[in-house]
Amino acid sequence: AAIYEKWREEYKAKAIEDYSAVIQLNPKLTSAYVKRGDIFLELERYDESIEDFSEAMALDRNEADAYLG
């Protein structure tokens, strides 16, 4: 179980890096903010999660996933 948890944490850290790179390339891509916000939420990094969901909502008020987080 410990190996799986370590892999999962590394996977999430890499995903955050990847979504951050996508956001730098296309800062208006709401889905990247939502996906990164989901990962922050899973990691209990609530402030960062709220920032990403808020940015997604600001970009597209119809992005339901940003509201559901």
Side-chain angles (χ1 to χ4, degrees):
I3 293 172
Y4 173 73
E5 287 301 317
K6 181 176 170 38
W7 173 84
R8 230 175 92 196
E9 294 304 313
E10 290 173 0
Y11 175 79
K12 288 178 184 177
K14 177 67 173 134
I16 288 171
E17 288 177 22
D18 291 346
Y19 283 121
S20 296
V22 169
I23 289 167
Q24 285 213 326
L25 292 171
N26 185 355
K28 301 215 182 274
L29 186 62
T30 57
S31 61
Y33 289 100
V34 171
K35 297 295 186 184
R36 190 174 69 176
D38 286 338
I39 297 168
F40 284 140
L41 187 60
E42 286 180 32
L43 294 173
E44 298 179 0
R45 291 168 60 177
Y46 301 119
D47 290 341
E48 292 161 296
S49 180
I50 290 169
E51 286 178 28
D52 277 356
F53 293 140
S54 296
E55 184 63 29
M57 286 185 275
L59 290 169
D60 182 358
R61 292 180 31 169
N62 296 318
E63 178 61 66
D65 289 336
Y67 293 93
L68 301 174

